[in-house]
Structure formats: C-alpha cells, structure tokens
Amino acid sequence: MKKSVLFGALAAAGLAATGAAADTLEEVQARGAVNCGISTGLVGFASQDANGEWQGFDVAVCRAVAAAVFGDPTAVNFNPVTNQVRFEVLNSGEIDMLARNTTWTFSRDVDLKLEFTGINYYDGQGFMVPKALGVSSATELDGATVCIQKGTTTELNLADFFRANNISFEPVPISTASEAQQQYLAGACDVYTTDASGLAATRASFESPDEHVVLPEIISKEPLGPLVRHGDNEWGDIVRWTLNALIAAEELGVTSANVAELAAGTDNPEINRLLGTEGNLGEQLGLSADWAVNVIKAGGNYGEIFETHIGENTPIGLARGLNAQWTEGGLLYAPPFR
C-alpha cells in the first residue's frame, strides 16, 4: 500500500515536472549552474574535503556536465539526496540530473519515468563482515543481522540471495552510507551489504580497515549511471554525451594534459570531431564547439577520473575490472563521435 502511494506521488511529480522542465538546458543556462543530485556522503564517490568542497567519482560527472554547458566545472549546485527521496527530487524538478551510484533497472526506467544516460560504473552487490566473525563466505551468514539501505536494489537482491540459499537473516534498516558505517561499527549488525564499490569506499574510511573483510560473493549486476527525467531529451543528450566524451577521450588517448594541444587539430578525424575542430557536434547539442575540450580539461578523461578518486592508488583501491575500456577486456564503450 505504501509503495503504491509513493509511486503515485512520484508519477504526479513527474507529470508536473514535464512542463516545468520542458527545456532544462535553457533553465540551467538562465540559472548559471547545474543542480546535480549526489550521495549524502560516500568517500571516493561524493564526499566533502577539508574545505567543504565536494569531491569524488560521481561529483566529477556533475562537474563535467557543468564544463560542457558553461566551460566552468564549478558551475554546479550540489544537492545531497538520500536513497529514499532521490527519484522524487529528480522528478519534481528540484535537480536537473542525478549522479549518485544508482542502478539502472527496468522499473526505474519504465515505471518511475527516468532516463539513464549511460553507465559510469559496472558494479555488483557484495558483503562486508568483521574479520573477527570468522566468516569466509556469504553462504555462512545464516541468522546474521544485516545493515541494508531501504529503497535500494540491494534490499531486494539480499532477500533473493538468502532465499535461494535457504538461510535466514534479520534486516537492520538504515538510510545513508554514513548511518550504515556507524551502525556496522557499533555492532548493530553483523554484516553490511551494498555495491562492492560502496563497501570498498566505506572500509577505506575505517580507522582499521584490515579488521574487516569483503566476502568473495558478488550476487548481482549493478550498472550505475547518471539519470535525468523521461521526456527531457535534449538535456539527456548533453548528460549522455558528456559521459561518452569522457569514455571516448580515454580510448582515443586524449587527456587533461594534451587536450589543448590536440584541440588545434590532429590526423585522427574522430578526435577532431570530439574536440570540435571538424563537424558541428557541439552545435547539435546546443553547446559551443569546444564543449568536450572543456569536459576533459575539468577533471581528465574517464581513466583519469577513475584513478584520481577510486583507483588502485587511492584508499578505495578499486581495480578497473569490468570498468576497463573494451579494448582492454572491459565493458566500457562509447558510441562513435560522428
């Protein structure tokens, strides 16, 4: 019953937003900044530094879109939103886009009337336990208490996994990643489950990360990506092709260090089209010819952003894995710029 009421409210909000956001690009340009929804706090993906500035892998997507539109990656209003309200906030028009470790699913696309603009991280759900618990597999968690964020795909996957393995669990509902960390460390639950990247980020923030183990099981596919409202096609194109520009730039060897030089013209037609020295791709998006140059200058290409915020040389320590370029055995792939 509660679910139906919530979905009805979201649908109504979506209908209201359709008219209000008929041309989001014009609204964003008039406002002078992108309103971007992000996590309430997840180290490596969206967290505030000592100066109160938002930093992270998802934050970089917001800044890249701002750079595409304004040539200025700081032209962003960051709006931290919880799992429970993130879709309602987007559909109501309070934010222009959401870049918040959110899984692309059928119901979110079709029922909630949202538009995923691509995948910026291929993830999967995992489990973290204290090493002292002496558990080496998730199948040994019969009767465990599990901290789980309400309103997420991980909540549904968790029930499926325990049912399939004929074991039981007691859920401990939490609202945010920071609450999960507090409850888990306080011993309110034996297990914390979320996307494997989120577990790595959470563990990296612990005082003694080596005292905690991420179990080997990955129990789901979690394609994470930025999203906009259904029917917001022109704005969706800008967010989609900004992400594609980051991915294509890495494949083509365009970096924050060499983009200015390459923007003068190269022997590679696709690089020239990407950087605006051939064709009119920027004009087709309603942007300047050098929109992708500004995107890459903002924080580097996809690989540079990955390595800066969550890569193997950061406290998060994630390997590229499925998020490597398709030419390197991964799933990362941008459609052609032509």
Side-chain angles (χ1 to χ4, degrees), residues 269-327:
E270 186 162 22
I271 292 178
N272 295 342
R273 289 190 292 270
L274 172 68
L275 302 183
T277 53
E278 288 185 21
N280 66 340
L281 299 187
E283 179 183 349
Q284 293 179 39
L285 282 171
L287 303 177
S288 64
D290 63 349
W291 67 279
V293 175
N294 296 326
V295 165
I296 298 160
K297 281 182 177 177
N301 62 35
Y302 179 93
E304 291 177 280
I305 291 171
F306 190 104
E307 294 307 324
T308 297
H309 298 292
I310 58 176
E312 291 183 299
N313 294 318
T314 70
I316 314 301
L318 294 174
R320 289 293 292 268
L322 295 177
N323 296 288
Q325 291 280 338
W326 68 287
T327 51

Side-chain angles (χ1 to χ4, degrees), residues 6-293:
L6 174 60
F7 277 24
L10 290 174
L15 289 173
T18 300
D23 193 334
T24 299
L25 176 59
E26 287 186 3
E27 293 182 359
V28 168
Q29 289 174 324
R31 187 189 308 127
V34 178
N35 288 339
C36 194
I38 55 172
S39 167
T40 53
L42 183 62
V43 174
F45 288 85
S47 63
Q48 289 177 287
D49 63 18
N51 298 317
E53 296 291 330
W54 284 98
Q55 305 290 345
F57 186 73
D58 288 332
V59 168
V61 174
C62 302
R63 294 196 187 281
V65 173
V69 176
F70 298 106
D72 179 3
T74 68
V76 186
N77 298 321
F78 290 109
N79 297 266
V81 291
T82 65
N83 285 322
Q84 288 83 359
V85 304
R86 55 186 161 173
F87 304 129
E88 186 174 0
V89 169
L90 177 59
N91 261 331
S92 71
E94 291 181 54
I95 57 175
D96 307 308
M97 58 176 288
L98 184 67
R100 185 197 183 287
N101 52 342
T102 296
T103 303
W104 187 347
T105 71
F106 181 99
S107 60
R108 290 169 177 175
D109 188 332
V110 177
D111 191 18
L112 296 186
K113 309 302 182 189
L114 301 170
E115 190 83 26
F116 283 81
T117 58
I119 298 170
N120 71 329
Y121 193 90
Y122 291 90
D123 212 337
Q125 183 175 344
F127 300 91
M128 179 168 63
V129 299
K131 186 177 289 185
L133 200 62
V135 171
S136 60
S137 167
T139 59
E140 301 169 13
L141 295 174
D142 189 20
T145 52
V146 183
C147 280
I148 179 74
Q149 293 193 54
K150 301 290 289 182
T152 63
T153 55
T154 55
E155 183 180 18
L156 306 176
N157 298 333
L158 177 69
D160 289 346
F161 176 80
F162 275 74
R163 186 185 307 115
N165 285 279
N166 196 30
I167 55 179
S168 64
F169 71 99
E170 180 181 343
V172 178
I174 44 93
S175 298
T176 65
S178 61
E179 183 185 358
Q181 176 177 330
Q182 293 167 3
Q183 295 284 9
Y184 172 80
L185 289 176
C189 53
D190 302 313
V191 186
Y192 177 37
T193 182
T194 189
D195 296 341
S197 63
L199 294 178
T202 300
R203 188 173 67 164
S205 67
F206 290 171
E207 185 175 341
S208 302
D210 292 342
E211 295 179 3
H212 304 270
V213 178
V214 176
L215 300 176
E217 286 86 357
I218 297 295
I219 66 170
S220 68
K221 294 181 292 186
E222 304 293 337
L224 311 180
L227 53 156
V228 299
R229 290 175 287 273
H230 256 187
D232 207 357
N233 296 342
E234 288 77 13
W235 177 246
D237 283 344
I238 290 172
V239 177
R240 177 178 299 105
W241 285 96
T242 295
L243 175 59
N244 286 332
L246 295 172
I247 295 170
E250 183 186 26
E251 179 185 344
L252 295 169
V254 182
T255 71
S256 55
N258 66 17
V259 64
E261 177 185 353
L262 295 177
T266 75
D267 294 331
N268 184 319
E270 186 162 22
I271 292 178
N272 295 342
R273 289 190 292 270
L274 172 68
L275 302 183
T277 53
E278 288 185 21
N280 66 340
L281 299 187
E283 179 183 349
Q284 293 179 39
L285 282 171
L287 303 177
S288 64
D290 63 349
W291 67 279
V293 175

